[in-house]
Amino acid sequence: MAAKRGITLYHSPASRAFVAYWMLEELGVPFDVRTVDIRKGEQKAPWYLKLNPAGKVPTLTDGEAVVSENPAIAIYLADRYSYGGLAPRIEDPKRGAYLKWMVFASAVVDPVASLHASDIDLPGYSHSFGTFDDMVQVLIGALDGREHLLGEAFSAADVVLGGAVSFLMFRKVLPEHPALVDYNHRLTARDAYQRAADATWPPDLFQRG
């Protein structure tokens, strides 16, 4: 039996799946999109749970490969389609920082910012992701005086962590520190970011409630 070919992204409008969509736009590879509307509970449909038992978006299939979680999707895509470009090579000293920021986005930024937005600030010594203020200072320290996370070169880490920063700036969860504001402006000005935003953030979504 011949292997399946082609990339399909399973996403829901105005969700964290934007990051995977943006990543695909940066790569410029052809892909299909299948909408899984989380507002209608479609992520819990039996057919989708076979792809992603966690019942979350995004999920990406590439031939027989099935990948979920934004950092994993970005690492997979960058290594396969832009190795040495959006993904530093294994021998590149920047590979370590690149992987760190990929993990930091989902292991630290997302949970601690989500809790903070709900007026829950836990003591850092008892939780692996630390405090909200610590997270903010790490971001500012990484971006102050730099174009991107790894320096001048844009990488897939900027898609994953930058996508989180952009969303949190939009939601006014992060402070408007110049380093964060300028970084967000650089990201949102990218053509690939704009294409992904136009495709995944319907202008009437919030008007519908």
Side-chain angles (χ1 to χ4, degrees):
M1 180 182 294
K4 296 179 181 177
R5 300 179 62 84
I7 297 172
T8 298
L9 175 67
Y10 297 82
H11 91 110
S12 187
S15 73
R16 288 173 175 80
F18 166 80
V19 170
Y21 203 113
W22 177 19
M23 183 68 202
L24 288 162
E25 289 288 354
E26 289 286 352
L27 291 169
V29 295
F31 64 97
D32 294 321
V33 176
R34 184 163 179 180
T35 299
V36 179
D37 195 332
I38 60 176
R39 291 157 190 83
K40 297 178 180 178
E42 293 175 356
Q43 75 277 19
K44 299 298 184 181
W47 70 266
Y48 186 69
L49 290 174
K50 289 181 180 180
L51 285 175
N52 188 337
K56 300 190 299 181
V57 292
T59 300
L60 179 134
T61 59
D62 184 10
E64 298 296 332
V66 180
V67 193
S68 58
E69 305 297 334
N70 275 319
I73 290 172
I75 291 169
Y76 170 85
L77 288 172
D79 279 350
R80 181 160 188 182
Y81 296 103
S82 188
Y83 188 60
L86 292 181
R89 294 177 177 274
I90 291 293
E91 64 271 17
D92 189 332
K94 293 181 179 179
R95 178 79 180 189
Y98 165 81
L99 294 174
K100 176 189 74 173
W101 293 125
M102 287 285 197
V103 174
F104 191 79
S106 59
V108 178
V109 175
D110 197 2
V112 76
S114 295
L115 288 169
H116 180 78
S118 298
D119 298 319
I120 301 172
D121 290 297
L122 300 172
Y125 62 82
S126 59
H127 296 84
S128 62
F129 43 70
T131 69
F132 178 79
D133 289 341
D134 289 342
M135 179 271 288
V136 170
Q137 289 306 310
V138 169
L139 290 179
I140 292 171
L143 295 168
D144 198 12
R146 286 188 172 192
E147 287 290 306
H148 300 101
L149 289 167
L150 302 185
E152 293 185 6
F154 178 85
S155 74
D158 292 296
V159 176
V160 175
L161 191 142
V165 168
S166 185
F167 176 74
L168 293 171
M169 296 292 287
F170 172 75
R171 293 283 304 275
K172 300 187 182 302
V173 176
L174 290 176
E176 293 190 352
H177 186 281
L180 302 181
V181 172
D182 291 347
Y183 178 61
N184 187 47
H185 283 169
R186 287 191 292 276
L187 297 181
T188 58
R190 296 182 68 85
D191 289 342
Y193 183 104
Q194 290 296 324
R195 290 194 300 271
D198 289 344
T200 63
W201 287 81
D204 66 334
L205 179 70
F206 299 105
Q207 295 175 17
R208 292 198 309 266

